[in-house]
Amino acid sequence: MRANIVDDIIIPSVTSFREEATILHEKITLFVAAPSIESLDEAQLQWKKTATAYGYVYAFNIGTVKDNFMHLKLYNWPTYTNAIENRINGNTELNEETIAKISTPSKGISSIEYLLFNSPNNDIIQNFATEKRKQYFLSSQRNYKPMLRNW
């Protein structure tokens, strides 16, 4: 019975989440490289697919995943929107190293959600004209990728 739960439910759910998160990474990279309504729509749709896939693995917060606080690192809510905007508008260099040091509600899937859905689409595209917003977005989404390998 236990092997069936692992083989039939847990492993396929985690595999699906990894796949959706990888596609999200690709869609975000495309959007940042060429912000448009189409590329934003694709990134938003993929975020929804990734969040849905995450919902299926959330119940498996056990063992090493729990010990390493993976759920909090990947998708900690509520999102600290003021912290995100302060970092984007501040003088700190934004890269994977600086993003790794900030609180979890300011990075990962919840920060990606905020950056993709915080305003009407035309405003989001206009906001992505700033290099620091692009850096934050790319660094934030890169921050969770190594965790996927450890799941």
Side-chain angles (χ1 to χ4, degrees), residues 6 14 16 23 26 29-30 33-34 50 52 56 73 91 107 119 126-127 133 139 145:
V6 171
V14 170
S16 175
I23 296 168
E26 294 164 3
T29 301
L30 291 172
T50 303
T52 299
Y56 290 108
K73 292 176 182 177
N91 294 324
K107 60 185 177 186
S119 302
Q126 185 177 8
N127 289 339
R133 186 166 296 272
S139 296
K145 276 195 72 121

Side-chain angles (χ1 to χ4, degrees), residues 31-69:
F31 169 68
V32 170
S36 68
I37 291 292
E38 294 78 21
S39 62
L40 177 58
D41 285 344
E42 288 181 16
Q44 289 173 331
L45 177 62
Q46 189 56 43
W47 182 90
K48 291 175 185 177
K49 290 178 181 179
T50 303
T52 299
Y54 176 78
Y56 290 108
V57 299
Y58 183 78
F60 310 121
N61 188 21
I62 55 176
T64 304
V65 170
K66 185 175 184 176
D67 294 343
N68 290 319
F69 304 99

Side-chain angles (χ1 to χ4, degrees), residues 31-121:
F31 169 68
V32 170
S36 68
I37 291 292
E38 294 78 21
S39 62
L40 177 58
D41 285 344
E42 288 181 16
Q44 289 173 331
L45 177 62
Q46 189 56 43
W47 182 90
K48 291 175 185 177
K49 290 178 181 179
T50 303
T52 299
Y54 176 78
Y56 290 108
V57 299
Y58 183 78
F60 310 121
N61 188 21
I62 55 176
T64 304
V65 170
K66 185 175 184 176
D67 294 343
N68 290 319
F69 304 99
M70 295 290 278
H71 287 289
L72 292 176
K73 292 176 182 177
L74 285 169
Y75 197 177
N76 197 354
W77 192 85
T79 306
Y80 292 171
T81 59
N82 287 341
I84 292 170
E85 292 299 336
N86 288 342
R87 291 209 179 267
I88 290 170
N89 296 318
N91 294 324
T92 306
E93 180 182 350
L94 297 176
N95 56 41
E96 291 172 57
E97 187 176 313
T98 57
I99 295 296
K101 294 177 184 176
I102 65 175
S103 64
T104 57
S106 300
K107 60 185 177 186
I109 297 172
S110 65
S111 70
I112 293 168
E113 176 184 17
Y114 170 71
L115 292 167
L116 284 174
F117 296 97
N118 70 350
S119 302
N121 284 357

